[in-house]
Amino acid sequence: MNLSPALRATGTYPFVKLERAKRRLAAQGVDLIDFGKGDPMEATDPAIRQALVDALEERLGYPLAEGLPELRAAVAQWCGRRFGVELSPEEEIVPTYGSKEAIFLLAQVVIDRDSDKRLVLTTEPGYPVPDRGAAFAGADVEQLPLSERNGFLPDLDAVGDDTWERVAIVWINYPNNPTGAVAPLDFLARLAQRSREHDFLVAADEAYTELWFDEPPHSALEVREHGNVAAFNTLSKRSSMTGYRSGFVAADAELIDALKQFGPSVGTAPQEFVQRASIVAWGDETHVERVRDIYRRKRDVLLPVLQSKGIRVAGSVATMYLWLEVPGDESSEEFAARLLERGLIVSPGSFFGPAGEGYWRMALVATEEECRRAAAILEEIL
Ligand SMILES: Cc1ncc(COP(=O)(O)O)c(C=O)c1O
């Protein structure tokens, strides 16, 4: 059968390997504590769930790709309150089905595969979706390493002018999965300036802006006057709503118009009842404060044992992830496999790219009680 070469090149999504190992150990009766995938286990706020139920009408037609005006207004107001930016709900926002698909599909809308300007820069270790979306769109893809010594920021000065000239999109993801690092405003401003100099789009995956421990992180929207910026955000992590599929893209009118033109070819906005629930979610911060508190408590259970065992915590100032150095001279996969045999599911850093080797990631999704049990196991085996 003929298959897309881009599909063949993707290989197995690394987390599928973890799922298989999980099933094997569960069948053997091993008690598993899951710090693997970043899927929040917390209950969604009752008011959000009720809004969904209330909107479940007798008949629901196709949702328009541009989404409900009330949802776009709620998102614009949230961006205003949270980042101090003014966005037009009609022209500069489009609701999306979670953020993953929008991230994947961006290159389809932006890339001209016959042009010399078809390079997409992504960062690694990282979320693989921007790379895959770009590959399926016929773009060239290059990954910029995120090194700890550079604060897990890409080194913009290491990219030559001839490369910048070929760049159509630069993907960044701050707060960053997997490192938990955040981007200072001056880095975002410098990148935005380059986007104007070299005529590319900064695509900022901001799925984790609301999960932070000390200070609220910045959005690339705050530097949009310096360049071409599109921000992708989502209720998945902020409001523990991964199953609802609700996010948005905020960008200049020209890109939003292009996304609205493209949208009806591939699908629709989220179901109307999800959009109604989303309006409630974007309008409330108290449940988000509770969500942050929960992650903070779990982190506080785990950090002391990790630190007492000399495990260095890198990045990890935001997101739901701890990015930790692998002790000794084991590879990250060997180390994760050792923890797995004791029932602790963590992700080896190498899952996220070559620059992730030497680290491991704990997603703080297990319950607080499970975190306490995990701390006891770590105490024993590290
Ligand atoms: C970095 C990053 N971006 C985007 C997403 C997508 O989230 P969603 O499609 O649920 O909005 C995830 C999910 O894990 C992620 O880790």
Side-chain angles (χ1 to χ4, degrees):
M1 189 174 136
N2 293 322
L3 286 175
S4 148
L7 181 69
R8 235 180 264 124
T10 52
T12 314
Y13 197 67
F15 284 94
V16 175
K17 284 199 247 170
L18 212 56
E19 279 302 317
R20 280 190 206 131
K22 230 164 98 173
R23 276 201 292 273
R24 173 178 58 80
L25 287 160
Q28 291 168 11
V30 177
D31 183 17
L32 295 171
I33 307 179
D34 199 342
F35 297 97
K37 244 166 83 179
D39 193 352
M41 300 293 168
E42 316 307 332
T44 305
D45 190 70
I48 300 172
R49 297 190 332 244
Q50 191 58 47
L52 181 136
V53 172
D54 291 347
L56 203 51
E57 311 228 339
E58 196 172 84
R59 178 193 172 270
L60 288 160
Y62 285 116
L64 289 181
E66 65 184 40
L68 293 172
E70 297 92 317
L71 175 56
R72 282 186 270 115
V75 167
Q77 283 158 16
W78 179 77
C79 290
R81 286 193 305 273
R82 173 66 176 84
F83 302 119
V85 294
E86 203 178 311
L87 293 164
S88 153
E90 290 78 35
E91 297 187 339
E92 296 181 317
I93 289 167
V94 66
T96 54
Y97 199 77
S99 58
K100 185 178 194 179
E101 291 180 16
I103 291 168
F104 181 88
L105 291 169
L106 179 72
Q108 302 276 347
V109 177
V110 170
I111 296 295
D112 173 356
R113 58 177 81 209
D114 296 325
S115 139
D116 290 337
K117 205 166 173 59
R118 56 158 196 277
L119 179 60
V120 175
L121 295 181
T122 63
T123 58
E124 68 86 14
Y127 184 59
V129 176
D131 307 63
R132 291 182 178 190
F136 276 96
D140 298 332
V141 185
E142 281 178 28
Q143 296 185 320
L144 304 175
L146 301 181
S147 70
E148 191 171 348
R149 113 185 94 67
N150 206 35
F152 298 112
L153 299 170
D155 181 358
L156 301 179
D157 297 329
V159 180
D161 275 351
D162 46 339
T163 302
W164 284 124
E165 285 311 310
R166 294 189 294 120
V167 172
I169 304 173
V170 175
W171 274 103
I172 53 168
N173 166 224
Y174 292 102
N176 182 254
N177 173 12
T179 66
V182 296
L185 202 56
D186 73 305
F187 167 82
L188 296 172
R190 274 194 295 126
L191 182 59
Q193 276 150 10
R194 285 197 200 229
S195 77
R196 185 155 288 160
E197 261 163 59
H198 299 289
D199 185 26
F200 62 81
L201 176 70
V202 177
D205 170 358
E206 301 191 339
Y208 295 96
T209 51
E210 303 318 291
L211 302 187
W212 43 269
F213 295 103
D214 296 320
E215 271 177 57
H218 291 289
S219 163
L221 291 173
E222 292 169 56
V223 298
R224 65 199 289 258
E225 77 274 18
H226 297 302
N228 313 313
V229 171
F232 295 66
N233 213 318
T234 171
L235 289 170
S236 286
K237 319 285 168 166
R238 172 189 186 274
S239 301
S240 308
M241 285 171 68
T242 45
Y244 287 64
R245 313 310 300 139
S246 184
F248 68 85
V249 182
D252 286 356
E254 194 185 349
L255 179 64
I256 295 300
D257 195 44
L259 292 172
K260 285 183 185 167
Q261 199 187 323
F262 178 72
S265 302
V266 285
T268 66
Q271 295 84 345
E272 193 168 319
F273 44 85
V274 169
Q275 294 192 56
R276 297 276 173 209
S278 305
I279 294 167
V280 174
W282 288 118
D284 176 63
E285 290 300 323
T286 51
H287 75 278
V288 191
E289 282 158 22
R290 273 199 302 276
V291 166
R292 276 194 290 270
D293 265 353
I294 290 170
Y295 289 118
R296 189 174 294 114
R297 282 208 303 275
K298 296 190 214 181
R299 188 178 187 249
D300 289 349
V301 169
L302 289 162
L303 282 187
V305 61
L306 293 165
Q307 278 158 351
S308 77
K309 295 289 177 174
I311 304 273
R312 211 165 50 75
V313 182
S316 308
V317 292
T319 75
M320 56 169 72
Y321 304 112
L322 295 180
W323 189 239
L324 305 155
E325 196 175 41
V326 175
D329 49 18
E330 271 169 305
S331 73
S332 61
E333 281 213 40
E334 285 164 347
F335 179 74
R338 188 153 67 84
L339 296 193
L340 189 58
E341 292 310 312
R342 291 297 309 271
L344 297 188
I345 303 169
V346 304
S347 308
S350 60
F351 273 17
F352 306 96
E357 186 49 52
Y359 299 91
W360 52 297
R361 190 192 78 173
M362 289 184 93
L364 297 171
V365 290
T367 63
E368 206 177 326
E369 197 276 318
E370 286 175 319
C371 287
R372 272 192 282 277
R373 276 197 286 135
I377 297 172
L378 290 168
E379 180 72 51
E380 218 181 284
I381 58 177
L382 288 178

